[in-house]
Amino acid sequence: MEVIIQPAKEAAAYLVARLIARELRANPHLVLGLATGKTMEHVYRNLARMHREERLDFSLCRTFNLDEYVGLLPSDPNSYRHYMNRHLFSQVNIDMRNTHLPNGMAEDLHQECRRYEATIQRFGGIGLQLLGIGKDGHIGFNEPLSALRSRTRVKALSPTTLAQNAPAFGGEDKMPRRAITMGVGTIIEARRCLLLATGPSKATVLAQAVEGPITSMISASALQLHPRCTVVVDEAAAGCLAGKDYYRWIFENEPEWEEYR
Ligand code: F6R
């Protein structure tokens, strides 16, 4: 795992967008794993601008989102399909047929989870997986105690996640209590993982995930097992990291980061 600290959330999101753009330019057929949430809005804004101003091409790219709420129609403003259409897909030249999210309205949810996994496999697995982190340490909606080898399945949202995401719904009582999510095992099979965390509310859990023991209590800690995982944070989210000086030295001195300094 490598940790890159940026001065502010804008710079952190810009760096993540540049890393995605680089992978996409190197491989226009990239299979891109996507996340939703407040943090990612800044990344998608940058990708949309890069498409407009720097001709970043999404026409051959295929995407798989991490998760979707159970019981929301794609047209529901709180569904992750709606979020993706609004923040990214409508802003770039992606073919909508190449964009995949789990169907939270499927009659047979378990069958839908199996179908989603099989579709990812059919397209050769995920090349680059974008991730955020929840206040309870989740990646996707892999809530505490998610098996480290779990696959796409239905998960009940934790009280912390319900509280984190309730404002968008106007209260916890109005939000779905379950979601379909890629599993931790699915996520760590991606060839590269890129996690973005910003803001002081993520500082404690980020330090647990990066520097703490690998535990199903903090799903993001499973990324320590991944051979190629980059964690990009702003100063606020880096607040509790013990190894800050070492991480800064790497970014300032290692040749692979030269073009991003
Ligand atoms: C959603 C997802 C979640 C979020 C996490 C952080 O697709 O994957 O793991 O990334 O809950 O959300 P924000 O950015 O809203 O704090």
Side-chain angles (χ1 to χ4, degrees), residues 34-41 65-68 80 83 129-136 138-142 161 164-165 181 196 198 201-202:
L34 296 173
T36 57
K38 286 259 162 252
T39 315
M40 293 306 148
E41 290 179 17
N65 267 76
L66 285 165
D67 42 22
E68 178 60 283
Y80 284 165
Y83 172 107
Q129 178 66 56
L130 184 59
L131 298 163
I133 184 170
K135 288 180 187 163
D136 63 359
H138 71 208
I139 45 177
F141 274 135
N142 289 288
T161 299
Q164 180 191 295
N165 292 1
T181 179
L196 173 63
T198 58
S201 68
K202 302 290 173 67

Side-chain angles (χ1 to χ4, degrees), residues 3 5 210-211 241 243-251:
V3 179
I5 304 172
V210 172
E211 295 176 337
L241 290 171
K244 263 191 269 190
D245 293 343
Y246 174 54
Y247 312 146
R248 280 193 229 283
W249 188 92
I250 290 174
F251 184 66

Side-chain angles (χ1 to χ4, degrees), residues 150-190:
S150 51
R151 313 302 306 189
T152 302
R153 69 216 183 288
V154 177
K155 265 317 268 185
L157 303 179
S158 74
T160 309
T161 299
L162 290 171
Q164 180 191 295
N165 292 1
F169 292 85
E172 269 179 44
D173 50 328
K174 298 193 187 71
M175 77 179 282
R177 298 194 64 104
R178 296 151 81 226
I180 294 181
T181 179
M182 277 187 208
V184 180
T186 319
I187 292 169
I188 61 177
E189 270 172 25

Side-chain angles (χ1 to χ4, degrees), residues 34-37 44 62-70 72-90 94-105 112 115-116 141 169 180:
L34 296 173
T36 57
Y44 298 142
R62 187 173 288 277
T63 65
F64 285 91
N65 267 76
L66 285 165
D67 42 22
E68 178 60 283
Y69 289 110
V70 167
L72 294 192
L73 285 165
S75 57
D76 189 302
N78 279 310
S79 76
Y80 284 165
R81 164 53 80 179
H82 191 274
Y83 172 107
M84 289 312 305
N85 289 353
R86 169 162 174 233
H87 292 287
L88 185 67
F89 301 154
S90 66
I94 199 160
D95 182 337
M96 288 299 271
R97 290 169 301 183
N98 288 343
T99 67
H100 305 265
L101 281 93
N103 175 9
M105 292 296 288
E112 170 58 11
R115 184 199 65 81
Y116 200 63
F141 274 135
F169 292 85
I180 294 181

